[in-house]
Amino acid sequence: MAETLQSLADLKGSPVEAAEAPRHVQKLDKQGRAYATGKRKDAVARVWIKPGSGKITVNERALEVYFARPVLRMILQQPFGIASRIGQYDVVVTVAGGGLSGQAGAVRHGLSKALTYFEPELRGVLKKAGFLTRDSRTVERKKYGRKKARRSFQFSKR
C-alpha cells in the first residue's frame, strides 16, 4: 500500500503516476467499415462508412431520393465538410423512427461518430463543431387535465 502523506510538501516528493489521456483507436469491422449509431429525437440511425467514391445510400435509396429537401442533405454533408472529406467515403445508412428532420440529425450524429472511429484524429474537429454530442431534446409528454403537454383547456368563468 502507498505511504500516508502528512502535508502538501510530502506530496511534492512522492512518485505519482500521471494519468494518461484516453487514446482513441481505429475501430473497423471485418469488411473494413466503421460502424456507429446516431440518435436524435425519436430517430435512430445505423451508419457504416468505408473509403470509396462518395456514394450515400439511406434505407437502400439514394440520398437525393430519401432526403428530398436540400436543407436535410446539407445537414448530412456537414461532418464531411468540416473534416474536408467530401466524396472520399461510401456511406450506408439504415434509419428508423421520428420524422425526416430528426432522421437527418440522427444520420449526422452517426456519421460523425463513424468518422471518428475510422479516423481518430478527426475527433477534435468534429467535437468542437458539436457533431459528436447527442441532442437529448425530445417531445414532452402530454399531461392529464391538459389539452397538450402544457396547453390548458380554455377557461370560462360562466
Side-chain angles (χ1 to χ4, degrees), residues 43-118:
V44 178
R46 301 181 307 160
V47 180
W48 290 268
I49 65 166
K50 63 179 181 179
S53 59
K55 182 181 174 192
I56 301 177
T57 309
V58 182
N59 288 353
E60 299 179 359
R61 286 188 257 171
L63 175 68
E64 292 75 23
V65 175
Y66 195 85
F67 291 114
R69 282 191 278 161
V71 174
L72 299 178
R73 289 197 300 267
M74 185 258 316
I75 288 173
L76 264 64
Q77 297 293 340
Q78 283 177 333
F80 289 127
I82 288 207
S84 303
R85 301 289 189 270
I86 295 174
Q88 294 183 17
Y89 290 101
D90 286 343
V91 182
V92 178
V93 180
T94 309
V95 64
L100 284 177
S101 176
Q103 287 183 351
V107 172
R108 181 179 80 174
H109 182 229
L111 199 55
S112 303
K113 284 172 62 175
L115 272 172
T116 60
Y117 292 153
F118 204 91

Side-chain angles (χ1 to χ4, degrees), residues 2 6 24 26 28 35 41 47 68 75 77 79 99 134 137 139 144 154 158:
Q6 301 297 332
H24 300 283
Q26 190 179 42
L28 302 178
Y35 167 79
K41 292 188 177 180
V47 180
I75 288 173
Q77 297 293 340
R134 194 255 199 246
R137 295 176 295 167
V139 178
Y144 59 85
Q154 184 168 350
R158 291 180 187 80

